[in-house]
Amino acid sequence: MALKLWASSAANALKLSSRASAPFPASSISRCFSSVIDGFRYSDSHEWVKHQGDVATIGITDHAQGHLGEVVFVELPESGTSVTKGSGFGAVESVKATSDVNSPISGEVIEVNSKLTGAPGLINTSTYEDGWMIKVKPSDPSELQSLMDSKEYSKFCEEEDAH
Amino acid sequence: MALPQAIKAGLPCMNLLRMTAVPILKQLYLEERLLRSSAENWCIISHGTSLPTIVMGISGRPSELVELKPVLRDQIPVIRRFSGGGTVIIDNGTLFVSLICNKNAIPGLQPYPHPIMSWTGQLYGQVLCEFGDFHLRENDYAFNSHKFGGNAQSIIKDRWIHHTSFLWDYDAKNMEYLKLPSRAPKYRSARSHVEFLCRMKDYVPSRTSFIEGTIKSLGGHFSIRPFDLDELGSLSSSLSGSTKLLTRQELEEAYTSQCVAVYPMYKAFIEPDLQTAHIKFSNKFNPFTGFQNPTYILKSPRNVPVGQIKSVLSQEHKESTEETYDIYLLPPGEDLEAC
């Protein structure tokens, strides 16, 4: 069990997709080129959620930012807006395209990452940390269970890219 | 649900809407509505907007993209559209082709900017390769390295739109309303609008041959069903306010906002007149280009004599004398004495 935990944190540090099934952590390198964070939950439209107590932090995944390219502008809602699972709350603009970002859960926006106004590229460079988009007070924490965990999401990305 | 036309060999259906002389604002309202509220695939081909109109991408800021003084003077409409991408000035000579598709409409095509851009490059390449050396250059359609088609996209959960403004013909004078963009593709190589662009009509025999060729090319992926504009409802309002025509007040505010920082003021009020100035300005210091010169300017509120400064510098220091002039930019409407 301890070995598995070590594997996860080593994988996180090395920005590798972690596979809980591998008994030899040092050699488990995922075929999926995008990174994931264990403990986060993921939607099938490529957003991540980090749930800590009463607050859920949301952003787009490494897979998404890699496919979108350099982010030049981020459109975010205002604090106090409500979001619904599966519906758009903002958009991310890359060179020629604007792409909707959908909320993986329902709730009320309590904080918005204002750093993204001046530095939209944080989504590319610090996808799971400084590139967070909104913080939400979940209205229904059970929605998190229907989202994918890091293992399921990695597999989902692999299957998408295999086309 | 049975469709009126026979479906071609299992290909998904695409509605084809051809329009002429529809104002670009109405067209954009329509496209945004079809993207967000329809579940079908659409191709919209349109031309013949008579008035020159500036169309910026969703995050476009007029003060950065548009020459506001002539735009305000000549009352050129400025629109912010719902898709990404850059700024264009469209007129009678512009041809529009917009593709709105469900994410699974084209097998193997992932709903991301680059794959969609590539796929359309292949589509138009099929149509245009016989007329010229067609290329998808970065995100533009070009003959050799001359751009004739600009692209923009909006991707939502299960659908996307990729729309193109084609320069069938254009009025070079109109390009003067646009600033040289700060973000430009590398292959542009700092060329002016006129040196960078080309006209499709110089390569392709007729608009019709291009349009028919495009429809034929799409027919390889979709079962095309002609649709009439009358079958759709009113086009007058916009969904969720994404596409909007900027008001005169907004443009005026953008114009006056250029007066808050030195460099924008210089760009807006001084640089345009330098062409005819009698005094030549030579400025070695440009904070925006190249490596930073590691020069440190020491300022002190105390009156420190030169000898005292020299005494703390090392023996090997070198001295040089430069004459500098401070130029003050007076904001429009300000009085010299009051500043």
Side-chain angles (χ1 to χ4, degrees):
Chain A
M1 194 55 191
L3 215 53
K4 247 198 251 181
L5 287 175
W6 182 86
S8 308
S9 50
N12 286 340
L14 294 167
K15 296 268 181 238
L16 296 173
S17 173
S18 99
R19 282 159 153 231
S21 54
F24 303 105
S27 58
S28 79
I29 294 177
S30 169
R31 267 170 284 125
C32 170
F33 295 98
S34 320
S35 72
V36 290
I37 309 280
D38 265 356
F40 286 12
R41 306 292 291 189
Y42 302 84
S43 71
D44 60 7
S45 48
H46 304 284
E47 290 92 15
W48 56 264
V49 190
K50 174 168 110 178
H51 187 210
Q52 283 173 320
D54 229 5
V55 177
T57 310
I58 294 168
I60 65 168
T61 65
D62 187 41
H63 182 270
Q65 73 81 19
H67 279 79
L68 289 175
E70 189 200 342
V71 175
V72 301
F73 187 76
V74 183
E75 214 180 286
L76 293 168
E78 285 184 5
S79 270
T81 325
S82 56
V83 293
T84 315
K85 180 182 165 81
S87 286
F89 67 81
V92 153
E93 194 186 340
S94 38
V95 177
K96 291 286 179 184
T98 177
S99 305
D100 271 9
V101 184
N102 302 297
S103 183
I105 57 168
S106 311
E108 189 196 322
V109 179
I110 53 174
E111 201 188 330
V112 154
N113 188 356
S114 52
K115 272 198 238 162
L116 291 177
T117 320
L122 284 171
I123 290 187
N124 299 114
T125 56
S126 182
T127 315
Y128 296 109
E129 286 155 33
D130 297 327
W132 65 272
M133 295 178 70
I134 57 172
K135 288 195 170 143
V136 166
K137 181 164 159 220
S139 56
D140 181 7
S142 67
E143 283 175 335
L144 285 154
Q145 301 315 314
S146 57
L147 297 171
M148 292 180 266
D149 65 21
S150 54
K151 196 165 54 118
E152 291 163 341
Y153 177 66
S154 292
K155 188 154 181 285
F156 178 74
C157 290
E158 274 179 36
E159 282 165 6
E160 262 201 10
D161 281 339
H163 283 128
Chain B
M1 181 175 78
L3 291 172
Q5 318 282 102
I7 298 178
K8 201 178 8 168
L11 293 174
C13 182
M14 177 175 261
N15 297 324
L16 172 68
L17 198 54
R18 293 178 69 160
M19 314 193 298
T20 47
V22 173
I24 187 63
L25 187 63
K26 285 204 150 64
Q27 179 173 342
L28 289 167
Y29 286 156
L30 170 65
E31 290 182 5
E32 195 177 356
R33 225 177 80 202
L34 291 176
L35 174 68
R36 289 196 180 271
S37 340
S38 163
E40 296 173 21
N41 302 307
W42 296 84
C43 171
I44 298 160
I45 301 182
S46 150
H47 61 93
T49 317
S50 53
L51 288 173
T53 304
I54 294 174
V55 184
M56 304 184 302
I58 192 167
S59 62
R61 278 192 281 252
S63 55
E64 290 169 14
L65 301 167
V66 163
E67 293 290 1
L68 285 162
K69 198 163 154 190
V71 161
L72 282 163
R73 178 194 69 211
D74 300 341
Q75 299 179 315
I76 308 291
V78 180
I79 293 172
R80 183 183 284 122
R81 65 178 184 266
F82 65 98
S83 55
T87 312
V88 291
I89 179 157
I90 58 123
D91 60 23
N92 235 340
T94 317
L95 184 84
F96 302 99
V97 181
S98 307
L99 299 168
I100 301 174
C101 292
N102 287 312
K103 121 178 150 172
N104 298 317
I106 295 150
L109 182 64
Q110 285 205 51
Y112 290 111
H114 185 67
I116 297 171
M117 189 70 73
S118 277
W119 184 82
T120 64
Q122 282 173 11
L123 185 87
Y124 290 113
Q126 255 185 307
V127 185
L128 294 166
C129 58
E130 63 176 289
F131 302 118
D133 191 18
F134 174 84
H135 290 278
L136 170 64
R137 289 218 183 274
E138 293 177 56
N139 299 299
D140 301 333
Y141 303 136
F143 285 123
N144 300 307
S145 60
H146 293 99
K147 174 178 175 175
F148 65 86
N151 296 298
Q153 300 167 337
S154 174
I155 302 168
I156 64 174
K157 195 157 182 213
D158 296 308
R159 286 164 70 72
W160 50 263
I161 180 172
H162 176 104
H163 52 190
T164 311
S165 59
F166 287 99
L167 293 173
W168 177 257
D169 190 6
Y170 72 90
D171 187 347
K173 244 186 342 85
N174 284 342
M175 294 302 154
E176 291 170 13
Y177 292 113
L178 299 182
K179 291 190 164 157
L180 270 171
S182 58
R183 181 175 287 113
K186 291 193 189 69
Y187 83 100
R188 183 167 182 148
S189 306
R191 287 176 280 168
S192 67
H193 294 297
V194 177
E195 291 166 326
F196 175 52
L197 304 170
C198 69
R199 295 174 173 83
M200 271 181 100
K201 70 175 206 211
D202 294 336
Y203 293 80
V204 184
S206 68
R207 247 193 293 248
T208 314
S209 57
F210 171 61
I211 293 173
E212 296 302 324
T214 300
I215 296 171
K216 181 156 173 255
S217 199
L218 281 168
H221 303 272
F222 297 94
S223 176
I224 306 289
R225 176 193 158 213
F227 209 90
D228 218 72
L229 194 55
D230 301 327
E231 294 177 61
L232 293 167
S234 155
L235 303 174
S236 57
S237 64
S238 144
L239 257 194
S240 77
S242 278
T243 296
K244 70 181 290 255
L245 174 68
L246 271 62
T247 62
R248 189 173 176 87
Q249 189 188 354
E250 285 168 303
L251 294 174
E252 283 174 349
E253 279 170 12
Y255 183 57
T256 49
S257 77
Q258 286 174 166
C259 304
V260 293
V262 173
Y263 192 68
M265 280 175 70
Y266 161 80
K267 289 289 286 183
F269 302 115
I270 302 221
E271 200 183 61
D273 294 333
L274 289 179
Q275 304 284 356
T276 54
H278 294 286
I279 303 170
K280 183 167 177 171
F281 292 89
S282 163
N283 183 7
K284 289 180 286 185
F285 179 65
N286 183 339
F288 298 109
T289 64
F291 295 109
Q292 292 301 317
N293 183 349
T295 300
Y296 296 90
I297 299 172
L298 301 172
K299 292 189 178 179
S300 168
R302 293 181 292 161
N303 213 350
V304 186
V306 175
Q308 199 175 351
I309 297 175
K310 282 194 197 176
S311 68
V312 299
L313 296 175
S314 79
Q315 297 293 340
E316 290 82 45
H317 81 265
K318 290 194 176 63
E319 281 183 37
S320 67
T321 310
E322 267 186 36
E323 254 187 35
T324 60
Y325 294 91
D326 284 334
I327 298 177
Y328 296 91
L329 293 176
L330 203 62
E334 288 290 328
D335 175 24
L336 178 61
E337 306 305 320
C339 284

